[in-house]
Amino acid sequence: MRAKQLSTNQEHSHVIVLDPGDEVVDELTEWADRHGVRAARLTGIGGFRRVTLGFFDPTSRDFVRIPIDRQTEVLALIGDFAMAEDTRRPELHAHVVVGFPDGAARGGHLLAGEVWPTLEVIVTQSPRYLRRRHDPQTGLTLIDLDVGT
Amino acid sequence: MRAKQLSTNQEHSHVIVLDPGDEVVDELTEWADRHGVRAARLTGIGGFRRVTLGFFDPTSRDFVRIPIDRQTEVLALIGDFAMAEDTRRPELHAHVVVGFPDGAARGGHLLAGEVWPTLEVIVTQSPRYLRRRHDPQTGLTLIDLDVGT
Amino acid sequence: MRAKQLSTNQEHSHVIVLDPGDEVVDELTEWADRHGVRAARLTGIGGFRRVTLGFFDPTSRDFVRIPIDRQTEVLALIGDFAMAEDTRRPELHAHVVVGFPDGAARGGHLLAGEVWPTLEVIVTQSPRYLRRRHDPQTGLTLIDLDVGT
């Protein structure tokens, strides 16, 4: 386990409202890029018209894709932004739980999602810097706390 | 997609502990009203003795009600407060995931919930102003970022 | 319902990255103890190699244990730290939703969890003091807002 202080009190929070048809990963990542986000966390609720979840398979070291091609409630969107090692741009890592008309819940790594009717996201931006680095053991890009300010 | 900065560093956070029998939506809304909350976000965990979930049906443009009349764990309560267009009072929008004795998870829009044995909620209050406005397309009240400070 | 202001703007946030094999409750509690955490909240996402969920049974007044001995995505980890009445050390109260390869979701009170490949946790530390006290009615330790600063 490793830890890094992200702030004393110079954090900024933002509300982001996504509109019908917005692609959540693209929109949030573009927003973070435009705003110079280098480290942030987020939570959100709303709805998706369709969503693709992922499950990281420990054997294949790849994501199983779980497409859901119907309306769901976004019950819990939780994630963070850190800087990609190669592009030096903010990269979103988010997981989501979605709900169905009978209340059934499913969830996974958020690969893609099309918003409807809204998605209300709160992003808390830190003045610090978080970087992701390729981890050869897993094939994932993991947060590397030894780098940056 | 639209975005609005909610704070630099003048946010206040509060812990709210709900007691057995408390109705979660009423109690949180009354608290927010008494404290002059105009924009806030929240997370919470605990338990419900009973809860009514909602699923917003895109065809009927109304909430399907999903009553759950038994004890559940509140696994993830995520929401926000914004000002209602008509009443000018804070309105809670929250989604919840609840858990059953075998670990099964269900969830939806939080319509009502009766607490037992506790509900621990952290509210982060912003100095800014968020307003909801009736959206004729969906019939929902959505956050309108073009209004307020 | 009772409420307590946790901060104006002297909160500190931290990112904690757990490594493969780390036991989540032990690691987070030790970190909080070392950092003198007296009140905090947290959210997290990542994965578990195995996890033990709990459901607090209102009749037996004890936790039903739900062991899950396989890889899951950590979809939503939400919790808080408050001081234990007896040990005067920070005690973690967290709930979690986990996801399976087909997107199925389960969840409960977090009793124990072994991380793989990572767990990214954001802890927001408050300058205030929260204490848990044994509640004879339920047998649980609940946050007591009448104590502390």
Side-chain angles (χ1 to χ4, degrees):
Chain A
M1 198 196 83
R2 295 142 295 144
K4 178 177 181 172
Q5 186 164 324
L6 277 183
S7 78
T8 51
N9 55 4
Q10 294 304 309
E11 292 190 331
H12 299 202
S13 66
H14 307 262
V15 60
I16 300 178
V17 179
L18 286 94
D19 299 312
D22 280 353
E23 208 297 309
V24 59
V25 178
D26 294 350
E27 293 275 335
L28 290 178
T29 305
E30 282 165 29
W31 175 88
D33 201 15
R34 278 200 311 276
H35 280 71
V37 168
R38 307 191 308 167
R41 61 185 179 278
L42 62 88
T43 56
I45 58 171
F48 285 142
R49 184 183 284 161
R50 60 180 65 85
V51 61
T52 304
L53 307 175
F55 177 89
F56 190 74
D57 186 291
T59 309
S60 68
R61 304 278 149 129
D62 203 0
F63 282 101
V64 179
R65 293 175 67 88
I66 308 161
I68 298 177
D69 196 21
R70 54 181 294 192
Q71 179 69 26
T72 55
E73 298 275 339
V74 176
L75 304 179
L77 172 68
I78 299 181
D80 53 60
F81 280 108
M83 302 298 277
E85 185 182 22
D86 46 359
T87 63
R88 308 269 166 149
R89 301 184 114 172
E91 191 174 273
L92 176 66
H93 180 208
H95 286 193
V96 70
V97 184
V98 297
F100 291 81
D102 63 352
R106 298 180 74 189
H109 180 99
L110 178 65
L111 290 170
E114 189 182 326
V115 171
W116 193 92
T118 191
L119 190 73
E120 300 167 0
V121 179
I122 308 286
V123 177
T124 304
Q125 182 182 1
S126 162
R128 305 297 294 275
Y129 183 97
L130 285 179
R131 201 175 83 164
R132 293 194 171 276
R133 204 173 50 153
H134 180 258
D135 173 48
Q137 290 257 312
T138 58
L140 290 167
T141 56
L142 304 181
I143 293 178
D144 178 6
L145 295 182
D146 298 331
V147 179
T149 56
Chain B
M1 197 196 83
R2 294 141 296 145
K4 177 177 181 172
Q5 186 164 326
L6 276 183
S7 77
T8 52
N9 56 2
Q10 294 304 309
E11 292 189 333
H12 299 202
S13 67
H14 308 262
V15 59
I16 300 178
V17 179
L18 286 94
D19 299 311
D22 280 352
E23 208 296 310
V24 59
V25 177
D26 294 349
E27 292 276 334
L28 290 178
T29 305
E30 281 165 29
W31 176 88
D33 200 16
R34 277 200 311 276
H35 281 72
V37 168
R38 306 191 310 169
R41 61 185 179 278
L42 61 88
T43 56
I45 58 172
F48 285 142
R49 185 183 283 161
R50 61 180 66 86
V51 61
T52 304
L53 307 174
F55 177 89
F56 190 73
D57 185 291
T59 308
S60 68
R61 305 280 148 124
D62 202 0
F63 282 101
V64 179
R65 292 175 69 86
I66 307 161
I68 297 177
D69 196 21
R70 54 182 295 193
Q71 179 70 25
T72 55
E73 298 275 340
V74 176
L75 303 178
L77 173 67
I78 299 181
D80 53 60
F81 279 108
M83 302 297 277
E85 184 182 23
D86 45 0
T87 63
R88 309 270 167 147
R89 304 184 113 170
E91 190 174 274
L92 175 66
H93 180 207
H95 287 193
V96 70
V97 184
V98 297
F100 291 81
D102 63 352
R106 298 180 73 190
H109 180 99
L110 178 64
L111 289 171
E114 189 182 327
V115 171
W116 193 92
T118 190
L119 190 73
E120 301 168 359
V121 180
I122 308 286
V123 178
T124 304
Q125 182 182 1
S126 162
R128 304 298 294 276
Y129 184 98
L130 285 179
R131 200 176 82 165
R132 293 193 171 277
R133 203 174 50 155
H134 179 260
D135 174 49
Q137 290 257 310
T138 58
L140 289 167
T141 56
L142 304 181
I143 292 178
D144 178 6
L145 295 182
D146 298 332
V147 178
T149 56
Chain C
M1 199 195 83
R2 293 141 297 143
K4 177 177 181 171
Q5 188 163 323
L6 276 183
S7 77
T8 52
N9 56 3
Q10 294 305 308
E11 291 190 332
H12 299 202
S13 67
H14 308 262
V15 60
I16 300 178
V17 179
L18 286 93
D19 299 312
D22 280 353
E23 208 295 310
V24 59
V25 177
D26 294 349
E27 292 276 334
L28 290 178
T29 305
E30 281 165 29
W31 175 88
D33 200 16
R34 278 201 309 278
H35 280 72
V37 168
R38 308 192 307 167
R41 61 185 180 277
L42 61 88
T43 56
I45 58 172
F48 285 141
R49 184 184 284 160
R50 61 180 65 86
V51 60
T52 304
L53 307 174
F55 177 90
F56 190 73
D57 185 291
T59 308
S60 69
R61 305 280 149 126
D62 203 0
F63 281 101
V64 179
R65 292 176 68 88
I66 307 161
I68 297 177
D69 196 21
R70 55 182 295 192
Q71 180 68 28
T72 54
E73 299 274 341
V74 176
L75 304 178
L77 173 67
I78 299 181
D80 53 60
F81 279 108
M83 302 296 278
E85 184 181 23
D86 45 358
T87 63
R88 307 270 166 147
R89 303 185 113 172
E91 191 174 274
L92 176 65
H93 180 207
H95 287 193
V96 70
V97 184
V98 297
F100 291 81
D102 63 352
R106 298 179 74 188
H109 180 99
L110 178 64
L111 289 170
E114 189 182 326
V115 170
W116 192 92
T118 190
L119 190 74
E120 301 168 358
V121 180
I122 308 286
V123 178
T124 304
Q125 182 182 1
S126 161
R128 305 297 294 275
Y129 183 97
L130 285 179
R131 200 175 85 164
R132 292 192 173 277
R133 203 173 49 152
H134 179 260
D135 173 49
Q137 290 256 312
T138 58
L140 291 166
T141 56
L142 304 180
I143 293 178
D144 178 5
L145 295 182
D146 298 332
V147 178
T149 56

